[in-house]
Amino acid sequence: MKVKFSYLEEQFKNPEPIFKDIKKLVKSGDFTLGKEVFEFEKQFAKLCQTKYAVGVGTGTDAIRLSLIALNVGSGDEVITVPNTFYSTVEAIVTAGAKPVFVDADDDYNINPNLIEKAITKKTKAILPVHLYGCPAKIPEIIKIANKHNLLIIEDACQAINSAINKKKAGSFGITGCFSLHPLKGINVWGDGGIITTNSQEVRDKLYMLRNNGLKNRDECAIYSYNCRLDTLQAIVALHVIKDIDWITNKRIENAKFYDEELSKFSQILIPERARNVKQVYHTYVVKAENRDELYNFLLKSEIEAKIHYPVPLHLQEASKYLNYKKGDFPKTEEQVKSIITLPAHQHLKKGQLEYVVKKIKEFYK
Ligand SMILES: *Cc1c(COP(=O)(O)O)cnc(C)c1O
């Protein structure tokens, strides 16, 4: 039995309804900032319980433009985590600011107790990542941010439709940043991103920043970027967003099944699941004894396990100039040695989940 990590084949098995809308687009020629972009922004803001949303080219752009819109750049420091996808840090660096890492907690997210130690006179913002679709400890982070007058920008790229006390990810910070990459919660046929905010001022700045810094066709207020969300991708996103609750619930159901079955193994450690937190399981990650051997065993059994992510960012070549060293973030460094990602996507059948558990049992026996 094959258990794949990707679900794109199943998800877009019947693309005809999307093709129909794209045909209309091709006839109208409304390829850039067409009406579907604004319609998707409206629906996405509603989903995230924010007033506004602004479609951009990628999730990376969403973070970078947020920083630029909030005047975070040269000479500023931004606090984030070393265990994230490269883009989080890439956006900080390309916006001109310096990333400052804070170690993870047992929930794999930023440890709020370590944030204050990392704050300096230059700190402008905290950029928590809702890793694996689990919201970071936002109430604690808000307290610290308020005390030190810092901005919060959420990297919610993995966390569409997740929530704390029913309040959605992307609605806590001054902006929330989302990716529409093919393997994210709402996915398009290429690249896309979107930013949520409750500030009209920030929204208007983002409208400008994504569109060459233009105030209107003939007036440029600021040299910026061309990173709009394509109308074509917005059409795809409008089809997918209809299913978002089904997608989320299915993943939660699959994660519950794994949690129940895998908690029977002493060799597997499942992170604590806070009751007031709605995780969307962008990836299902647990700690496992003899991780490398288990990983290889699962691959041999045609189960596409993964490791998110094997090398933390402070130890990447690109981070050399930041002068971090091995041992600086012990929790993260310990986690990367034992974490494993199991396929948990919305198109898996019960039999496939059972097969994964059966193989893990076989491995540890
Ligand atoms: C996917 C992702 C991004 C970047 O999104 P892209 O659309 O690929 O640019 C940023 N941060 C995190 C945590 C992500 O998972």
Side-chain angles (χ1 to χ4, degrees), residues 158-172:
Q158 303 189 355
I160 294 177
N161 217 16
S162 70
I164 303 173
N165 294 325
K166 299 213 160 72
K167 190 166 158 52
K168 294 279 178 79
S171 70
F172 297 102

Side-chain angles (χ1 to χ4, degrees), residues 33 41 54-55 206-212 225 227-228:
L33 297 180
E41 288 173 348
V54 179
L206 290 169
Y207 276 165
M208 217 163 64
L209 287 171
R210 74 172 172 188
N211 195 27
N212 300 108
Y225 291 88
C227 56
R228 300 172 292 246

Side-chain angles (χ1 to χ4, degrees), residues 58-61 63 84-85 87-88 129 131 155 157-158 179-181 184 191-192 282 309:
T58 65
T60 312
D61 288 334
I63 306 169
T84 178
F85 186 65
S87 292
T88 316
V129 179
L131 199 68
D155 182 342
C157 283
Q158 303 189 355
S179 167
L180 307 173
H181 177 275
K184 299 287 161 79
D191 280 309
H282 169 67
Y309 300 90

